[in-house]
């Protein structure tokens, strides 16, 4: 089973340039969690499922800590989710930086990482 949480929006101070670290910008994060645990399918009980709100909070906590690289953000998100949810076998994350400092010629830049 794959759980998708798409379009999580954050404001953060990630980047290598001083302006990015001072002014900040908007980010969008998509995440896919793979698990073989399908108990919730049978029980209809939230206790048997991966709590989406908890996943969002983990991502928010990572996004709240300034970093230089999107690669680092994606890696920290994967590590946080996998260490919190033992039933998650694989995590794929996409971190998009909206309005990157490229002379307004690009909508976003993104990193996709899986682990």
């Amino acid at each position: 089973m794959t759980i998708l949480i798409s379009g999580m929006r954050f404001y953060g101070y990630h980047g290598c340039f001083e302006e990015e670290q001072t002014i900040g910008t908007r980010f969008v994060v998509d995440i896919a969690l793979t698990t073989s645990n399908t108990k919730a399918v049978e029980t209809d009980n939230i206790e048997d499922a991966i709590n989406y709100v908890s996943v969002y909070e983990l991502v928010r906590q990572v996004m709240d800590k300034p970093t230089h690289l999107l690669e680092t953000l994606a890696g920290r998100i994967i590590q946080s989710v996998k260490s919190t949810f033992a039933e998650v076998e694989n995590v794929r994350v996409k971190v998009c930086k909206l309005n990157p400092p490229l002379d307004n010629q690009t909508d976003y830049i993104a990193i996709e990482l899986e682990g």
Side-chain angles (χ1 to χ4, degrees):
M1 171 170 52
T2 301
I3 298 166
L4 304 169
I5 304 174
S6 181
M8 293 181 278
R9 290 171 172 73
F10 304 95
Y11 199 88
Y13 300 89
H14 311 291
C16 292
F17 298 114
E18 184 178 337
E19 300 84 26
E20 295 173 300
Q21 297 168 10
T22 304
I23 299 168
T25 194
R26 295 174 298 136
F27 294 83
V28 176
V29 177
D30 300 330
I31 195 166
L33 313 175
T34 304
T35 180
S36 58
N37 181 4
T38 58
K39 189 173 180 182
V41 173
E42 299 165 9
T43 66
D44 195 30
N45 185 338
I46 187 69
E47 299 300 321
D48 296 327
I50 293 173
N51 187 314
Y52 312 146
V53 174
S54 296
V55 174
Y56 173 86
E57 283 302 315
L58 289 174
V59 175
R60 185 191 58 76
Q61 289 172 14
V62 172
M63 294 300 294
D64 280 349
K65 296 177 186 173
T67 61
H68 288 124
L69 301 176
L70 296 181
E71 293 88 340
T72 303
L73 282 171
R76 287 180 181 168
I77 290 168
I78 290 170
Q79 181 182 28
S80 181
V81 170
K82 289 183 89 173
S83 66
T84 302
F85 298 99
E87 65 271 33
V88 171
E89 298 163 359
N90 191 58
V91 179
R92 188 176 70 248
V93 65
K94 178 179 176 182
V95 178
C96 300
K97 179 188 281 191
L98 305 181
N99 305 312
L102 298 173
D103 295 330
N104 293 321
Q105 300 300 313
T106 304
D107 293 335
Y108 67 88
I109 55 174
I111 291 294
E112 285 187 328
L113 190 61
E114 189 169 345

